Amino acid sequence: MKVATHQLRCTECGARIAGSAVNSIFRCPDCNGLYDVIYPWSSLPNGDTPASDSKLPNASALRWLWQERRTSTMSIDQSGVWRFRDLLPIVDDLEHVVTLREGNTPLYDLPRASKALGLDWILAKHQGMNPTGSFKDTGMTAALSVARERGFEWVACASTGNTSAAMAAYAARAALRSIVFIPEGKIAWGKLSQSMDYGALTVQLRTDFDGCVRVLTELVSRFPIYLLNSVNPYRLEGQKTPAFELLEQLEWQVPEHIVVPGGNLANGSALAKGFSEMHHLGLISRVPKVSIIQAEGANPLYRSLQENNGEELIPVKANTRATAIRIGNPASWRKALRALRTTGGWCEQVSEQEIALAKAEIGSEGIGCEPASAVTLAGLKKLVAQGKVGREERVVLILTGHTLKDSNYTIDYHRGELFTEEENAQISGSDQILHAALRKPPIVLEPDTDIVFRELESQMKLVHA
Ligand code: F0G
């Protein structure tokens, strides 16, 4: 079936090209800008409606169709990305789609966090429940399918760990070869193990993520290797679909706020694109605010907004234990800025201690996430304290990665070994109390019934007959 009807539009100079005409680094040859994928029905940047012949998909027909596909046994219908394929016609032939039945992720409420913050409800859309444990799967199914259709044999990415895990898995499914560049010693073991398990050629470079990107850019410029970092706009077409799925789960009631972590700064803009397309097509009546939260040690967007109102990016030497977002020179910062401005969201930064506390709180609700995902709750606390999020407003946190991605972090936290003494001393008295209640270090005992029972008694305040 022929379904592709898209072009790429430069987000800087507005130049439009055919998808197949894009260069290997996905940058506009005239102005170095990144591309957006656009369709005949897309709205124009100035908000104008497109050409009159651009048949707008019908909102209620789409809702019905997406719902119907839920009961189908076809793999593309079971995928929580391709179920929405009417709004991402990026491959000519659906036979080329590579899917692991990604998406379809749960939406949980966080009653204890809501109560603690005095908000009516906070929900968590858990993208860590994807096949490889992160939101990257939704983007990878899209871009890898394009790579396959265009006949590439090799794909590559630079990664802080989750993109590489996702790419390796999808490449393996498609029988393509994959090359991963990761910063040596700076990614979580769970993620490194995945890329090996799925058979990628894994290259650890003695540099940071930004250094890996430089080497990768050279590589794809010289060899016929398909670039799968988030500068590839097809990734973002997949990553916009959780916005559709979320609204479906909320019965098309639009929440006030969406909060996402910011690293290379593509995902916030992908979701904002999804919301604005739904708005344009009449599926929703307004778009939620999309806010982006960075770690203090990897805060180039936050700094740039503070220091020059986002005129220019101020790259930083990134350092945070939330290794997924340890990025100092994010490629998609302009797209992120646009997402903040078009939706009315904010950019905040959070400390290492605030991240650890928020992660423990999310874990204590029986949900869990990796450290980078927890910046969402930590950032929300700040937005509430600043009066930017009202108590009656509905907030959805996007949890981007599974808790098992970085179990070392979790174990260190609970054993009280995550922070230096100096860092511990910076924690406020009230947060110290919260940490103390949340920390659950394992207890090591001799296998003697009396000793075990005595310990349990003291822990559980058990009185037995
Ligand atoms: N959360 C997690 C768990 C991530 O892995 C990433 C990015 C982000 C948030 C930030 O998303 O880059 O779109 O702003 N990880 C990339 C990787 C960089 O290589 O896995 P972003």
Side-chain angles (χ1 to χ4, degrees), residues 64-299:
W64 179 85
L65 188 60
W66 294 342
Q67 199 60 42
E68 277 301 290
R69 286 179 185 151
R70 281 180 170 279
T71 55
S72 159
T73 53
M74 277 170 66
S75 60
I76 48 165
D77 288 343
Q78 290 182 352
S79 160
V81 170
W82 296 102
R83 194 157 65 79
F84 302 102
R85 58 188 173 271
D86 317 271
L87 299 191
L88 54 149
I90 53 176
V91 289
D92 282 328
D93 186 344
L94 291 172
E95 291 291 307
H96 292 125
V97 166
V98 189
T99 174
L100 285 165
R101 322 294 190 272
E102 51 290 317
N104 301 312
T105 58
L107 184 64
Y108 298 118
D109 60 340
L110 293 177
R112 280 164 243 168
S114 313
K115 193 158 175 244
L117 271 176
L119 297 188
D120 288 347
W121 56 259
I122 305 174
L123 298 177
K125 173 88 175 136
H126 207 326
Q127 293 299 96
M129 300 298 185
N130 268 292
T132 77
S134 87
F135 73 104
K136 305 287 184 180
D137 293 346
T138 56
M140 209 44 81
T141 184
L144 206 293
S145 300
V146 173
R148 185 198 225 178
E149 183 164 89
R150 297 200 181 153
F152 282 89
E153 285 173 25
W154 286 86
V155 294
C157 72
S159 179
T160 55
N162 280 326
T163 298
S164 46
M167 182 189 75
Y170 282 83
R173 294 299 296 175
L176 302 187
R177 303 294 311 279
S178 63
I179 306 172
V180 162
F181 289 116
I182 47 172
E184 195 204 6
K186 291 171 199 139
I187 78 165
W189 289 115
K191 304 174 188 180
L192 176 61
S193 71
Q194 283 180 293
S195 102
M196 297 189 287
D197 202 26
Y198 305 136
L201 180 54
T202 305
V203 185
Q204 293 181 279
L205 295 181
R206 291 194 189 93
T207 177
D208 54 11
F209 171 82
D210 304 297
C212 290
V213 169
R214 280 194 294 279
V215 175
L216 175 70
T217 308
E218 283 283 311
L219 181 81
V220 297
S221 304
R222 292 204 214 154
F223 299 97
I225 300 173
Y226 194 69
L227 177 67
L228 281 173
N229 272 55
S230 54
V231 291
N232 180 325
Y234 298 112
R235 281 261 315 269
L236 306 194
E237 290 308 287
Q239 286 177 216
K240 78 185 180 188
T241 62
F244 307 155
E245 191 177 274
L246 171 68
L247 263 297
E248 206 181 37
Q249 287 168 313
L250 292 174
E251 297 181 336
W252 305 100
Q253 300 299 308
V254 188
E256 275 71 34
H257 293 271
I258 308 291
V259 187
V260 298
N264 213 15
L265 295 176
N267 197 41
S269 73
L271 294 170
K273 186 172 192 280
F275 290 121
S276 85
E277 287 180 356
M278 275 188 283
H279 183 226
H280 178 63
L281 294 172
L283 282 153
I284 53 176
S285 56
R286 59 178 173 80
V287 295
K289 295 187 175 91
V290 175
S291 290
I292 299 175
I293 316 296
Q294 298 200 293
E296 264 177 27
N299 63 352

